[in-house]
Amino acid sequence: MNLLTASKITKAYTDKVLLDHVDFSIDDREKIGVIGINGTGKSSLLKLLAGRDQVDEGELILGNHVVVNYLPQNPVFPQGVTIYDYVADNNGAGGTWEIEGESKRILNMLGFDKYDIPLEILSGGQKKKVALAASLLKPCDILILDEPTNHLNNTMVLWLENYLKARRGALVMVTHDRYFLDRVCNKIVEIDKGKLYSYQTNFEGFLELKSQREDMELATYKKNKNILRTELEWIRRGAQARSTKQKARIERFEALKNIKAPEKAESVELSSVSSRLGKKTVELSGICKSYGERTLIRDFSYIFLRNDRIGIVGENGCGKSTLMKIIVGEIEADAGYVEMGPTVKIGYFSQENEKLDETMRVIDYIKETAEFVRTEEGLISASKMLERFLFDGTLQYSKIEKLSGGEKRRLYLLKILMEAPNVLILDEPTNDLDIQTLGILEEYLEHFDGIVITVSHDRYFLDKIVDRIFAFENGVLKQYEGGYSDYLEKAGSPYEEINPKKSSKKAAAAYKERPREKKLKFTYAEQKEYETIEEDIEKLEEQVSNLENEILHAATDFVKLNELSKEKEEREKALEEKMERYVYLMELAEKIEAAGGKV
C-alpha cells in the first residue's frame, strides 16, 4: 500500500538546487536507504518527507491517517528531563508497564543501565542514542532515521540491524554503513546532481544496477555520436549535391548535436601522500590507564610494523579513543611508555574534528597546511587537491560555515592527509563521510605507504582495510588476525545471524568480459549491403518526405490521414534501423582498413 507520494518536487538552498523536479514514493513494505555524496540533499529529503520543511515546487501527498516518525541527525532535547522520561513521554505512554519494560530493554541494548540520568549531562553521542530509542518505540507507519548508526558500537549496530529487519512498516534512512544497507534495505534511492534514481534492491544489487545504468547511458551516447558523425557527412555532401535537404533529417542532426555526454560520477581522487618511515616505528610497552576504580587499559604492549593495518574495536567507553590519544600524546598513561622512531610523522584524524574557524575560506584552511604537496604524480597545488576531494572552484572560496557536516569532515580529512604522515591514526573516520568518499579513502589506505591504526564501527571499512584486530575485553586488548568478519567468527556475537562479508566487493568491481573483436572482413552480403546502403537511406528519406507532404494535403480525410501516418511510422522505423546498420558497416570498414584489409 502506498503511504506517501512526492510528485515533481524541487528544493533549493540559495543558488544550489538539491532536488530538481523529482518523483518519490513510499510503500508500506519498503525499507529504503538514501545515499549520495555529502551536501547533495539526503538530510533535506528526509526533512521534506517528515514534514519538517516545505518543497519549493511540486506536491507531496501523505496518505490519510499515516503517522510519520523522524529521527534528525542532530536532535534537540528539553531541559530537566531524564533519559527514561524523554523516551516514555515521546511515546505518550506515561508509566504503563509495557512501555516501561520495552523502553528499558532498548535503552539497555544501546548502552544505558541507569535511566534517571538528566539528559543535559550526556555527551552528544549518548543523546543521539536516547533519541534513537524513543524513535524506535514510538508507533508509526513511516520511520525516518538520519544516520542512526553513528555513535553506536559494532554490537549495537548488529542489534539495530536485526531489530529493523524484523520491524513491520516502512523505513527510510540515511546511513553510510554498507553492510547495514545491504542487509536491512530492499530499495536504494541515490541522489545525484538534483535527480533521484531508485533501485528495488539492496546495496549489493544497487552496485550492479547502477553500473548497468551508467553503461547504458554511455552506450546510448556513443551510438548517438556515431549517428551524428554520419549525419554530419551527409550534411556536408548534401550541401554540394543539392540545394534542399530533408527537413526531418536536418532537425535530427541538430538534436543529436546538442546531446551532452553522460556526466562522470564525482569521486574523490587522491594519490598516496606520505613521508619516508624508518626501521623504528611506534612501540607501546606496558600501557595502563584507569579512571577512578575503572580500568580501561591493562598492560598493553605492541610494536607496530611497517605497513601494519590495525583495527581497534570494543564497547563504547571501553578505552578505544583513550588509547589513540595516549599514542599521539594527548593523554598520559598511568604506567608504561610510548616510544616513537625518529622518522615517525603522525596524522591524527580525531573523532571530534579539530576546531574549525568557520569564518575561513575553504582554500585558506588547506593552504595553512601546504600550498603544494608532493604525490606520485609530482607537485600538486592545494586548489587541485581540493578539486580531487570534491570541492570545486566555487566551493573553495566559500566560508567553512556554509559547508555541511559531512563536507567539513571531508575537508578535515584532506588536511590530515596533506600533512604527508607515515602513521595514520583514524578515530571513527567513517562518521559523516558519504559512501563514495569512503570507497576512495579505502582505496587510498590500501596503497598508503605507512602504518594505519583505526577505531571504527563500520564493519565494511574494517573488512577492507585492516589485517589485524585488537578487541577490548575487560581492559585487556586481545589480538585477532584478519578483518572484522574474521574476528566475529572467532569471538562470536549474539546478534550476528550471518557473516556480514558478502559479495559487495565482487558486485562493485564486477568483471565484465570484453566482447570479441568483429571479424576483420566483410561477408559477401555485408559487402553488397555496404555498396548500396547510402542509396537505400536516401530512398527511405525521400519516401518519408513524400508521405509528410501527402499528410498535409489529406488533413480533412481522416481515414486517409490514418493510413498515411501509419505508413510514415513504418518508413521512419525502417530508416532508423538502416541508419544503425550504416553505422555498424562504417565502423567495420574502418577496422578492416586499419588492419590492412580492403573494403
Side-chain angles (χ1 to χ4, degrees):
M1 182 178 71
N2 184 266
L3 302 176
L4 181 148
T5 301
S7 177
K8 306 299 180 187
I9 62 171
T10 295
K11 187 64 182 179
Y13 286 103
T14 62
D15 59 344
K16 185 174 184 180
V17 178
L18 300 177
L19 302 170
D20 186 9
H21 297 89
V22 301
D23 298 320
F24 185 79
S25 65
I26 301 174
D27 188 88
D28 61 350
R29 298 185 189 87
E30 289 181 329
K31 289 179 166 53
I32 303 169
V34 180
I35 64 176
I37 295 173
N38 290 133
T40 55
K42 300 187 297 295
S43 293
S44 297
L45 175 62
L46 296 196
K47 289 177 185 175
L48 293 173
L49 299 177
R52 300 295 181 90
D53 200 358
Q54 300 297 314
V55 300
D56 297 335
E57 295 180 36
E59 192 175 23
L60 198 150
I61 303 170
L62 188 68
N64 291 332
H65 311 299
V66 172
V67 177
V68 179
N69 190 17
Y70 170 55
L71 172 69
Q73 200 170 63
N74 300 299
V76 177
F77 299 88
Q79 293 292 315
V81 178
T82 65
I83 291 173
Y84 174 75
D85 288 340
Y86 177 81
V87 173
D89 291 346
N90 265 274
N91 289 282
T96 60
W97 66 268
E98 296 96 338
I99 196 66
E100 181 178 352
E102 186 66 4
S103 297
K104 290 180 177 179
R105 185 183 76 84
I106 289 183
L107 284 168
N108 187 255
M109 293 307 309
L110 295 175
F112 298 99
D113 53 11
K114 295 180 180 178
Y115 315 112
D116 57 352
I117 301 172
L119 281 173
E120 51 261 33
I121 71 170
L122 300 181
S123 68
Q126 289 173 318
K127 288 179 180 178
K128 179 70 179 280
K129 286 190 283 186
V130 171
L132 174 61
S135 298
L136 295 178
L137 285 162
K138 187 172 184 178
C140 64
D141 301 294
I142 303 175
L143 177 60
I144 300 177
L145 304 175
D146 197 347
E147 295 290 3
T149 61
N150 276 6
H151 310 293
L152 302 186
N153 63 33
N154 300 83
T155 303
M156 294 173 188
V157 170
L158 292 173
W159 169 80
L160 179 62
E161 187 177 274
N162 286 289
Y163 183 93
L164 293 175
K165 281 170 63 180
R167 180 186 177 275
R168 300 182 70 178
L171 170 69
V172 184
M173 65 177 175
V174 169
T175 180
H176 305 315
D177 187 320
R178 289 153 288 182
Y179 281 149
F180 200 89
L181 286 167
D182 201 47
R183 295 190 58 194
V184 174
C185 297
N186 55 26
K187 180 177 179 179
I188 301 294
V189 172
E190 181 186 23
I191 304 180
D192 185 19
K193 301 178 185 69
K195 301 299 180 185
L196 290 189
Y197 299 93
S198 295
Y199 306 84
Q200 295 290 341
T201 180
N202 62 1
F203 183 70
E204 179 183 339
F206 153 74
L207 292 172
E208 294 176 345
L209 293 176
K210 180 180 179 180
S211 177
Q212 291 174 17
R213 175 177 68 81
E214 291 177 342
D215 286 348
M216 287 177 63
E217 287 176 352
L218 184 60
T220 300
Y221 172 72
K222 287 182 176 178
K223 172 186 167 183
N224 287 332
K225 285 288 287 183
N226 284 332
I227 293 176
L228 177 62
R229 186 183 62 187
T230 61
E231 293 291 274
L232 179 61
E233 290 174 0
W234 177 84
I235 289 282
R236 287 171 176 166
R237 288 198 314 271
Q240 297 172 356
R242 51 188 177 273
S243 58
T244 59
K245 306 178 183 74
Q246 289 90 330
K247 182 181 177 183
R249 189 161 181 178
I250 294 173
E251 287 176 350
R252 183 167 69 237
F253 169 77
E254 292 298 330
L256 287 169
K257 191 170 66 173
N258 294 326
I259 291 176
K260 294 181 180 179
E263 292 186 54
K264 185 180 178 182
E266 291 180 307
S267 62
V268 180
E269 297 177 1
L270 186 60
S271 301
S272 181
V273 180
S274 62
S275 305
R276 188 187 70 83
L277 182 61
K279 289 184 178 180
K280 186 170 183 179
T281 60
V282 180
E283 180 178 344
L284 309 183
S285 181
I287 299 296
C288 298
K289 187 65 183 178
S290 299
Y291 287 99
E293 297 181 356
R294 188 180 182 199
T295 299
L296 296 181
I297 305 170
R298 184 183 296 116
D299 193 26
F300 177 57
S301 300
Y302 185 73
I303 299 174
F304 290 92
L305 307 175
R306 286 176 61 90
N307 296 313
D308 250 350
R309 298 291 188 268
I310 306 296
I312 300 173
V313 300
E315 301 296 317
N316 285 350
C318 68
K320 302 186 298 294
S321 293
T322 299
L323 177 61
M324 298 291 218
K325 290 176 180 177
I326 288 173
I327 295 173
V328 300
E330 286 192 7
I331 293 177
E332 190 174 338
D334 298 337
Y337 63 86
V338 178
E339 192 170 345
M340 299 284 181
T343 61
V344 168
K345 186 175 181 181
I346 289 179
Y348 178 40
F349 185 64
S350 70
Q351 190 171 349
E352 297 84 11
N353 283 10
E354 68 176 23
K355 188 70 176 177
L356 300 178
D357 183 351
E358 302 268 310
T359 64
M360 286 186 73
R361 296 185 306 178
V362 169
I363 192 164
D364 294 332
Y365 174 73
I366 293 299
K367 283 184 175 180
E368 273 190 341
T369 300
E371 294 268 357
F372 293 88
V373 65
R374 185 170 296 281
T375 72
E376 296 168 348
E377 305 165 12
L379 283 176
I380 295 182
S381 68
S383 178
K384 191 67 177 176
M385 293 295 277
L386 279 164
E387 284 180 13
R388 294 184 174 193
F389 241 58
L390 305 185
F391 294 100
D392 60 24
T394 303
L395 207 52
Q396 288 181 25
Y397 289 90
S398 298
K399 297 288 181 67
I400 292 176
E401 64 188 3
K402 292 187 177 181
L403 302 182
S404 69
E407 287 171 326
K408 290 176 184 175
R409 190 83 169 146
R410 191 196 310 150
L411 182 66
Y412 173 48
L413 174 61
L414 175 58
K415 184 174 185 179
I416 298 298
L417 298 179
M418 283 197 64
E419 291 170 355
N422 47 36
V423 176
L424 273 173
I425 297 181
L426 309 173
D427 193 355
E428 295 292 3
T430 63
N431 279 359
D432 298 319
L433 291 184
D434 58 77
I435 289 173
Q436 207 164 347
T437 303
L438 284 175
I440 303 301
L441 174 60
E442 287 160 356
E443 185 176 347
Y444 173 84
L445 293 177
E446 285 175 2
H447 297 93
F448 177 70
D449 187 16
I451 296 168
V452 177
I453 310 165
T454 182
V455 168
S456 179
H457 68 268
D458 189 320
R459 300 160 292 169
Y460 191 105
F461 179 79
L462 290 173
D463 272 336
K464 284 201 73 174
I465 296 305
V466 309
D467 49 30
R468 182 169 298 140
I469 294 281
F470 281 104
F472 273 84
E473 298 178 5
N474 300 318
V476 176
L477 276 86
K478 189 173 179 181
Q479 181 175 326
Y480 295 86
E481 296 303 309
Y484 181 78
S485 294
D486 300 310
Y487 150 73
L488 200 63
E489 285 182 4
K490 296 166 187 172
S493 167
Y495 306 112
E496 183 69 354
E497 297 172 357
I498 59 172
N499 187 314
K501 187 186 288 184
K502 298 175 69 175
S503 56
S504 295
K505 282 193 244 181
K506 177 184 173 184
Y511 173 74
K512 295 177 182 176
E513 289 188 6
R514 294 181 179 274
R516 287 182 293 180
E517 289 290 325
K518 300 285 185 183
K519 56 193 176 184
L520 295 180
K521 64 176 182 177
F522 280 137
T523 63
Y524 175 79
E526 285 172 339
Q527 182 68 45
K528 299 298 289 182
E529 186 180 11
Y530 176 74
E531 292 170 357
T532 61
I533 194 165
E534 288 194 36
E535 292 178 12
D536 295 339
I537 289 172
E538 287 193 13
K539 285 179 183 178
L540 283 168
E541 287 172 338
E542 188 175 345
Q543 289 171 4
V544 169
S545 181
N546 291 337
L547 285 166
E548 286 175 345
N549 289 331
E550 288 186 53
I551 287 171
L552 288 174
H553 291 95
T556 57
D557 187 342
F558 294 107
V559 175
K560 181 69 172 175
L561 187 63
N562 187 51
E563 292 175 355
L564 291 171
S565 296
K566 188 175 180 180
E567 187 179 354
K568 178 174 172 284
E569 285 179 11
E570 291 173 355
R571 291 290 183 271
E572 285 176 335
K573 184 178 179 182
L575 177 60
E576 184 179 349
E577 290 172 354
K578 191 66 74 173
M579 287 297 298
E580 289 182 5
R581 188 66 180 165
Y582 178 73
V583 169
Y584 163 75
L585 292 172
M586 292 299 109
E587 289 181 344
L588 182 54
E590 287 178 5
K591 289 180 182 179
I592 292 170
E593 290 178 350
K598 292 184 179 180
V599 178

